[in-house]
Amino acid sequence: MSQTPPAMPVAALPAQAARPPARPSYEALRVFARNPSALAGVLLLAVILAVTIFGPMIMEADPFEIAGAPMTPPGTDAVLGTDYLGRDVLTGMVYGGRATLLVGVVAAVLSMAIGLTVGALAGYYGGWIDETLMRITEFFQVLPTLLFAMVLVTLFSPSLATISVAIGVVSWPGTARLARGEFLRLKRREYVLAERVIGAGDARIIWRVILPNALAPLIVSATLAIGMAILFEAGLSFLGLGDPNIMSWGLMIGSNRPYILTAWWAVTLPGAAIFLTVLAVSLIGDGLNDALNPNSRGRA
């Protein structure tokens, strides 16, 4: 009578066979969580968002209201001082963050949408479509971006909407070239060819098959686009092309620039807020790139 061979102890099984492989999303999260600079960026951005979102609910003040004597230095009367009109700088920074971040996000989304669409179509189809779209991209790329944005804002009157659209329209060529390169690299991979064999349409291959595998560099591009849009808004406001009816960090810098030597806090503090916000977004973008990049994930 044959005997059943004894079962192999679980401890003797290889480690990879004893447990299922970790999901890619879990691995990406693990790599991101082990990145100190990325976590610092998340913490910094969380603080900025908390102040700009919940701060106005707590303060319930008007950022354009005269709060004291003009150009009062930081102290007991005004924590962060007042600007050249006597408006409270702290109130302006809390309320101004909303407009600045809104412009950055909307402009970055518009820039990514245009650039990704142009780059994906050019890289996937090639031929005359690629040539035409790349010539259009080069035309926008050689334009002086700040000057072109100034013209658009001047033509359609300064407002948060026109500023966001102007920034998005002038800042998409870099994303388009990056997306085109990724699609050129990935469109001949085996899994793409397999989708074509089973009869998948171009739209599915572009947006459901190739795009998810090209996200790592595009996510970094998106985060950089947010930082660039914030800097663009500050530059336009510095030149007097910001929305005068909505407080923003750029408007604070632009309106107080003639008094930078006598009321440095009214310019330096909003500038520091912009710097920290762009820094936080950049750190998060670098962390996401490392987490979504398989080579970096393997080194972690």
Side-chain angles (χ1 to χ4, degrees):
M1 184 174 180
S2 60
Q3 296 181 352
T4 304
M8 182 181 295
V10 176
L13 294 174
Q16 294 182 351
R19 62 181 181 181
R23 293 179 297 177
S25 59
Y26 173 80
E27 285 297 310
L29 181 61
R30 181 184 65 85
V31 174
F32 186 86
R34 293 175 59 182
N35 190 328
S37 60
L39 294 180
V42 170
L43 178 61
L44 180 58
L45 185 60
V47 172
I48 294 172
L49 290 175
V51 171
T52 55
I53 293 174
F54 300 108
M57 301 177 185
I58 299 174
M59 300 184 69
E60 295 183 353
D62 183 2
F64 292 97
E65 180 182 0
I66 304 301
M71 293 185 286
T72 301
T76 56
D77 296 334
V79 177
L80 298 182
T82 60
D83 65 0
Y84 77 105
L85 290 177
R87 298 174 298 194
D88 185 62
V89 173
L90 176 60
T91 304
M93 290 187 62
V94 172
Y95 279 81
R98 282 185 170 184
T100 299
L101 294 175
L102 180 62
V103 169
V105 173
V106 173
V109 170
L110 180 59
S111 172
M112 290 298 298
I114 298 174
L116 181 57
T117 301
V118 172
L121 295 178
Y124 181 78
Y125 288 107
W128 67 269
I129 296 179
D130 184 17
E131 290 291 329
T132 303
L133 293 177
M134 285 301 99
R135 297 298 82 76
I136 296 175
T137 302
E138 290 172 359
F139 171 76
F140 277 90
Q141 199 164 19
V142 298
L143 288 175
T145 53
L146 182 58
L147 180 60
F148 189 33
M150 291 171 57
V151 171
L152 293 177
V153 172
T154 303
L155 288 176
F156 298 99
S157 74
S159 67
L160 290 185
T162 55
I163 292 173
S164 301
V165 172
I167 295 173
V169 167
V170 302
S171 58
W172 61 267
T175 302
R177 287 192 169 277
L178 178 61
R180 174 181 178 269
E182 288 297 306
F183 272 74
L184 285 174
R185 180 177 66 87
L186 297 172
K187 71 177 183 179
R188 300 193 183 279
R189 293 292 178 90
E190 290 79 3
Y191 56 85
V192 177
L193 298 177
E195 289 286 336
R196 288 177 182 160
V197 169
I198 64 176
D202 291 343
R204 171 181 170 79
I205 294 176
I206 291 174
W207 305 115
R208 301 285 298 276
V209 179
I210 300 180
L211 180 59
N213 292 279
L215 280 180
L218 292 174
I219 288 176
V220 177
S221 178
T223 55
L224 295 178
I226 295 176
M228 182 184 298
I230 293 174
L231 295 175
F232 250 111
E233 188 275 334
L236 292 173
S237 297
F238 184 84
L239 297 173
L241 295 175
D243 190 341
N245 300 315
I246 299 179
M247 183 62 69
S248 69
W249 293 337
L251 180 63
M252 296 178 67
I253 295 174
S255 61
N256 289 282
R257 70 182 185 277
Y259 312 97
I260 187 172
L261 297 180
T262 54
W264 56 266
W265 54 88
V267 177
T268 304
L269 296 179
I274 292 175
F275 169 77
L276 293 176
T277 303
V278 175
L279 176 64
V281 172
S282 299
L283 292 176
I284 293 173
D286 290 340
L288 289 174
N289 180 54
D290 293 340
L292 296 174
N293 188 333
N295 295 327
S296 300
R297 191 184 307 164
R299 292 194 301 266

